[in-house]
Amino acid sequence: MSDTPHASDQELLLALDGELDAHQAQLIEQHLLHCAACRARRDQLQQALVEFLELHRRKAPAIPPAEAASARLKAALAELTSQPRAKRWGLVARSLLAAGIFGALLLLAALLESRRPPGPLPDPRLTPGAARILPRQQVCSMVKPPGARAVSQALADQVFRQYGIGKPRPGAYELDYLISPELGGLDDIQNLWPQPYSEGEWNSRVKDALEEHLRRLVCDGRLELATAQREIAKDWIAAYRKYFGSLRPIAEHAFFVKDLPWD
Amino acid sequence: MESVWRIARSVPGVASTDSRLSVEREVSALFAELRAPLLRYMHSLGLSVSDGEDVVQEVFLQLFRHLAAGKPRDNLRGWVFRVGHNLARKHRQRQLRQAPGGVVELEMTDEASNPEEQIRNLALQRRLMSVVQALSERDRQCLVLRAEGLRYREIAEALGMSLGAVASSLSRSLGKLAITGERYE
């Protein structure tokens, strides 16, 4: 902190973006408690950041699904590593393609209203969903270790920041796969978004209940995996209403615990 | 394809198949994480998405070589954006020499629910755009990289700036954006 009575824009922004060390962050925090002018300025800066994020998304081009680019990279890497291997990997890459194992979804759902904090539905421009088709046995056998955190801290930071959250409140969000890994969802940035963990009616616990239900339907052969992926990516709330036949979340699902929040 | 073989010959011997596979896996994981943000960033530098895809491929082949050679890996996100930034600029300069002009036009659309909101949003966006356009190129690049979710140390690596310079660039730009917002609300 400087010796002026107010925190500078830079100090406020560093605090907002979680770029200060613990000691400095605490000093700013304390100052903000007593300085209404600084709190107001911090809110203006946060608002400016969120408005710029929105502008940036509006100007951004649509990004084609990743599978063609990803197959191209795999093939190039295979050729690059060693020539005998190249043949084998080229074959694998081609057969994977031919079998249509890589399927990714780029869905243009209705756009979110501008400048809204992350809600129960992701921004389709940032998180259109990305998935591949899994064999049914795998959908049936897929067991995710409880509490496993597959997403690296660096990727998590990036996703939160894209959504204008510099420093997530501990326990407030689940860094959720739009299409869950159990349903073929990929570890792609286009398949991840910060979902409010238990705030609001349509929270991540309710979505977890839907994912489990869809997984069982696919496993039992009552639903095509591709359909499940498409519907959950397009509007998971609509999918919930459809598959549970309930306009509002069923009470017990609010307590359904599968994934832990990000802390 | 030619460039691929050129790289292939220059790849230093990698110790074992295991480590080569783990490098491949790491490159694929970073590709999944960074392709879309990198394409959007390069688009902001004036590159079309299809040209961007070519550049992205080159970036990740270079990343493979970088990792296979055991070079520093403490700031790979920053590294990827630095290489992407440099290659995109070279690509863009070549394009401009061949066909001058052809600036990517930024169009503003609005899908908000009602007309009043659309008008309000469009007016707000125009104000923001005019502030953003008045920023220096460097300040704009910092802002776009922040919008793509990079941490300050990653932005610093990507643009070859100090950490302090990134912080002051971002606070300067957002300070200006915040002031316009206040004046018109």
Side-chain angles (χ1 to χ4, degrees):
Chain A
M1 293 263 332
S2 59
D3 49 7
T4 55
H6 291 304
S8 69
D9 278 2
Q10 187 167 327
E11 287 166 328
L12 292 171
L13 181 65
L14 287 166
L16 269 174
D17 267 347
E19 294 277 352
L20 293 173
D21 65 40
H23 176 65
Q24 291 170 309
Q26 205 187 353
L27 287 180
I28 291 279
E29 200 79 358
Q30 269 163 8
H31 179 76
L32 283 170
L33 278 179
H34 303 293
C35 179
C38 294
R39 285 200 299 277
R41 184 60 180 166
R42 177 200 56 191
D43 293 346
Q44 281 178 4
L45 290 171
Q46 167 76 25
Q47 179 70 7
L49 176 62
V50 171
E51 280 166 1
F52 179 76
L53 294 182
E54 176 60 26
L55 178 71
H56 175 64
R57 279 179 231 167
R58 275 173 200 273
K59 290 192 307 187
I63 305 296
E67 92 271 36
S70 161
R72 182 176 158 200
L73 179 68
K74 278 203 169 72
L77 284 179
E79 288 191 51
L80 177 80
T81 45
S82 80
Q83 293 182 25
R85 278 166 47 77
K87 203 171 174 186
R88 192 158 62 85
W89 276 97
L91 212 70
V92 171
R94 268 197 300 278
S95 61
L96 284 181
L97 267 181
I101 293 216
F102 288 107
L105 296 166
L106 182 74
L107 288 157
L108 299 168
L111 294 175
L112 290 185
E113 285 168 46
S114 63
R115 282 169 284 120
R116 211 167 60 175
L121 293 175
D123 186 326
R125 291 164 294 185
L126 291 175
T127 320
R132 64 191 162 132
I133 297 297
L134 302 171
R136 210 171 94 197
Q137 310 89 285
Q138 208 176 331
V139 174
C140 296
S141 69
M142 184 85 79
V143 183
K144 204 174 151 195
R149 178 183 290 180
V151 177
S152 71
Q153 183 69 46
L155 177 57
D157 278 348
Q158 195 176 356
V159 174
F160 279 118
R161 282 158 172 260
Q162 281 190 328
Y163 274 91
I165 307 163
K167 222 171 102 182
R169 270 178 300 122
Y173 300 94
E174 178 182 337
L175 192 66
D176 206 6
Y177 291 92
L178 179 57
I179 303 169
S180 59
E182 290 87 342
L183 290 170
L186 297 174
D187 281 332
D188 189 304
I189 197 166
Q190 294 190 286
N191 194 38
L192 288 165
W193 104 103
Q195 193 191 11
Y197 189 60
S198 56
E199 279 172 33
E201 197 173 33
W202 297 101
N203 58 50
S204 67
R205 297 180 185 194
V206 176
K207 181 166 179 288
D208 288 344
L210 171 69
E211 287 162 1
E212 184 54 23
H213 183 60
L214 292 182
R215 192 187 68 80
R216 288 207 196 120
L217 289 178
V218 172
C219 173
D220 293 347
R222 289 186 281 160
L223 179 67
E224 285 292 327
L225 179 59
T227 310
Q229 291 176 345
R230 198 170 52 242
E231 295 196 46
I232 208 167
K234 188 175 174 201
D235 181 346
W236 71 266
I237 295 177
Y240 183 97
R241 289 180 169 140
K242 178 173 164 188
Y243 288 99
F244 283 115
S246 166
L247 277 178
R248 304 194 38 204
I250 298 166
E252 66 186 79
H253 290 166
F255 304 105
F256 186 94
V257 176
K258 199 185 71 178
D259 295 322
L260 297 175
W262 193 263
D263 53 28
Chain B
M1 218 23 99
E2 213 178 38
S3 69
V4 170
W5 288 114
R6 208 167 45 239
I7 294 165
R9 278 196 294 275
S10 60
V11 169
V14 181
S16 69
T17 309
D18 276 358
S19 69
R20 204 166 48 202
L21 280 177
S22 84
V23 169
E24 272 187 45
R25 265 198 300 276
E26 192 173 6
V27 170
S28 298
L30 276 170
F31 180 81
E33 294 176 17
L34 299 178
R35 169 181 164 264
L38 189 55
L39 282 173
R40 282 192 294 260
Y41 175 63
M42 295 196 303
H43 184 262
S44 81
L45 300 178
L47 222 62
S48 70
V49 173
S50 66
D51 287 345
E53 293 269 27
D54 292 341
V55 174
V56 169
Q57 294 283 325
E58 182 64 29
V59 170
F60 282 86
L61 289 177
Q62 286 198 20
L63 176 65
F64 180 86
R65 280 200 295 174
H66 179 86
L67 291 174
K71 289 188 181 158
R73 49 189 309 131
D74 59 315
N75 194 346
L76 289 180
R77 285 162 186 271
W79 189 95
V80 162
F81 275 86
R82 176 162 59 79
V83 174
H85 174 94
N86 293 338
L87 289 175
R89 295 198 65 117
K90 266 189 219 150
H91 194 98
R92 187 83 188 112
Q93 278 159 9
R94 244 192 339 263
Q95 273 181 340
L96 288 177
R97 269 200 304 275
Q98 281 158 8
V103 178
V104 177
E105 264 309 309
L106 304 170
E107 61 178 86
M108 284 184 292
T109 53
D110 198 305
E111 300 83 359
S113 43
N114 62 68
E116 293 101 83
E117 199 177 347
Q118 278 185 24
I119 290 165
R120 212 180 63 81
N121 282 348
L122 273 179
L124 174 71
Q125 282 179 54
R126 289 224 175 81
R127 289 199 308 270
L128 289 176
M129 283 280 273
S130 67
V131 179
V132 171
Q133 273 159 0
L135 297 175
S136 75
E137 197 179 22
R138 182 66 9 144
D139 285 346
R140 263 201 310 276
Q141 290 163 354
C142 279
L143 214 44
V144 171
L145 290 173
R146 168 59 190 83
E148 287 303 337
L150 267 62
R151 297 204 71 97
Y152 292 11
R153 61 187 285 272
E154 295 163 344
I155 299 174
E157 167 74 18
L159 299 177
M161 300 163 73
S162 71
L163 204 54
V166 171
S168 72
S169 162
L170 285 172
S171 61
R172 195 168 51 234
S173 305
L174 288 168
K176 287 178 192 164
L177 288 165
I179 288 165
T180 38
E182 185 185 43
R183 217 176 266 163
Y184 288 82
E185 281 302 287

